[in-house]
Amino acid sequence: MIQAGIIGGAGYTAGELIRILMRHPEVKLDFIYSTSQAGKPVSSIHQDLLGETELTFSGEINPEADVVFLCLGHGNSMKFLQENQFSDRTKVIDLSTDFRMAAEDHSFVYGLPELNKEEIKKANLIANPGCFATAITLAILPLAKNGLLQEDVHINAVTGATGAGTSLSESTHFTWRDNNFSAYKAFEHQHLAEIGQSLKSFQPNFSSELNFIPNRGNFSRGIHCTSYTRFDGSLEEALKIYKEFYGDAAFTFVVEEELHLKQVVNTNKCLLRLQKFGNKLLITSVLDNLLKGASGQAVQNMNLIFGFPENKGLQLKATYF
């Protein structure tokens, strides 16, 4: 059994990690660190765990833990690691944006298994991808692998309210979100940089635009994304490229059915559907922003690091009805 710790235990991603790790057959959840909730029962915040655990939030860390998940607000992970030391053998999986961009001042591996599986297996430090970044990158990565991104990519995606985190704002209140729909951060979303970094790892000369319009939906969780770009081949050729690329992927599947969120919510899957319209290839991708877009993918990375089957503890059924 590996000893796991969670830093920043009160948010949505931490809640999903707790739910998964409590049931993972190879993991003992050693501590859940939260300065704001220290001493309180975990189930007082994560009420879906009432009756399932006696764990309490801790105000202290165990520096000898085998793996630590950082579920801190963006910008806080780097500061936390500067102020707190873990053993040389402790694996760190960060769910913030702090280390996703490659830089000389850190050695974090970008944790998209479909892109960096072999590097992840050998890594001590993982930067878990963003939720929009996962949905979009998986939609177009096979084209980049084959040098087929010729022109701009146009992307429209909608995410649920949990994508904004637990802190309340005007746009997360029920009265604002209910029966409502809005775009935000058009062409300027923070995930664009990591998407471009991933695409250029396969197609270094890619210099076209990623025209991304993110949207807020009036549902709790999930991402539905449509991406299209020029593709001169046939649909059959595109399907062959995608199915070969994801042939050994544990959670990413190319399907022919029309896609909707109930196929993936509460799972670690990303489903992709391809359609051809004239010289355009349309790729629809759907995933759960809190699982494949965050906590589920973090556990997938943990499994790879420790040599467990990639889907261990992640064999989850979608909340379909």
Side-chain angles (χ1 to χ4, degrees), residues 125-145:
L125 305 170
I126 297 290
N128 217 57
C131 52
F132 271 137
T134 299
I136 295 167
T137 304
L138 292 177
I140 53 183
L141 198 58
L143 296 177
K145 178 67 167 70

Side-chain angles (χ1 to χ4, degrees), residues 29-51:
L29 191 49
D30 184 53
F31 69 92
I32 305 167
Y33 177 85
S34 173
T35 55
S36 64
Q37 306 298 330
K40 296 180 182 178
V42 168
S43 60
S44 68
I45 300 298
H46 302 295
Q47 296 188 9
D48 53 324
L49 300 177
L50 283 165

Side-chain angles (χ1 to χ4, degrees), residues 80-140:
F80 183 86
L81 292 177
Q82 290 170 347
E83 296 175 351
N84 297 271
Q85 298 295 316
F86 292 94
S87 75
D88 291 341
R89 64 179 183 78
T90 299
K91 316 298 183 185
V92 176
I93 301 175
D94 178 34
L95 279 76
S96 80
T97 63
D98 291 19
F99 301 103
R100 290 174 187 164
M101 299 304 295
E104 293 183 359
D105 62 351
H106 73 78
S107 55
F108 277 74
V109 171
Y110 189 66
L112 186 67
E114 294 82 355
L115 174 65
N116 290 325
K117 183 179 290 188
E118 296 309 313
E119 291 85 350
I120 292 166
K121 289 178 180 179
K122 299 176 286 187
N124 289 322
L125 305 170
I126 297 290
N128 217 57
C131 52
F132 271 137
T134 299
I136 295 167
T137 304
L138 292 177
I140 53 183

Side-chain angles (χ1 to χ4, degrees), residues 218-229:
N218 66 338
F219 50 90
S220 293
R221 57 198 289 172
I223 288 176
H224 185 286
C225 174
T226 52
S227 307
Y228 70 89
T229 190

Side-chain angles (χ1 to χ4, degrees), residues 72-253:
L72 299 167
H74 302 310
N76 294 326
S77 292
M78 187 179 298
K79 180 181 178 182
F80 183 86
L81 292 177
Q82 290 170 347
E83 296 175 351
N84 297 271
Q85 298 295 316
F86 292 94
S87 75
D88 291 341
R89 64 179 183 78
T90 299
K91 316 298 183 185
V92 176
I93 301 175
D94 178 34
L95 279 76
S96 80
T97 63
D98 291 19
F99 301 103
R100 290 174 187 164
M101 299 304 295
E104 293 183 359
D105 62 351
H106 73 78
S107 55
F108 277 74
V109 171
Y110 189 66
L112 186 67
E114 294 82 355
L115 174 65
N116 290 325
K117 183 179 290 188
E118 296 309 313
E119 291 85 350
I120 292 166
K121 289 178 180 179
K122 299 176 286 187
N124 289 322
L125 305 170
I126 297 290
N128 217 57
C131 52
F132 271 137
T134 299
I136 295 167
T137 304
L138 292 177
I140 53 183
L141 198 58
L143 296 177
K145 178 67 167 70
N146 289 272
L148 294 172
L149 289 175
Q150 308 170 57
E151 297 183 358
D152 291 359
V153 183
H154 302 274
I155 306 155
N156 192 287
V158 56
T159 187
T162 52
T166 56
S167 298
L168 284 176
S169 66
E170 178 184 343
S171 62
T172 58
H173 278 282
F174 178 80
T175 52
W176 191 95
R177 201 94 180 197
D178 185 46
N179 291 319
N180 205 358
F181 188 94
S182 65
Y184 70 108
K185 295 183 180 179
F187 305 109
E188 297 177 341
H189 196 277
Q190 63 271 17
H191 289 183
L192 281 168
E194 61 184 283
I195 298 166
Q197 175 179 257
S198 297
L199 298 178
K200 288 180 180 180
S201 70
F202 280 148
Q203 190 174 332
N205 65 345
F206 175 67
S207 59
S208 298
E209 296 289 334
L210 297 173
N211 297 310
F212 175 33
I213 309 296
N215 301 284
R216 305 178 183 97
N218 66 338
F219 50 90
S220 293
R221 57 198 289 172
I223 288 176
H224 185 286
C225 174
T226 52
S227 307
Y228 70 89
T229 190
R230 177 175 174 174
F231 181 76
D232 293 329
S234 66
L235 178 59
E236 289 70 26
E237 289 170 327
L239 285 167
K240 183 174 186 291
I241 288 168
Y242 275 72
K243 289 183 177 181
E244 285 181 356
F245 188 87
Y246 292 119
D248 65 347
F251 292 105
T252 300
F253 304 97

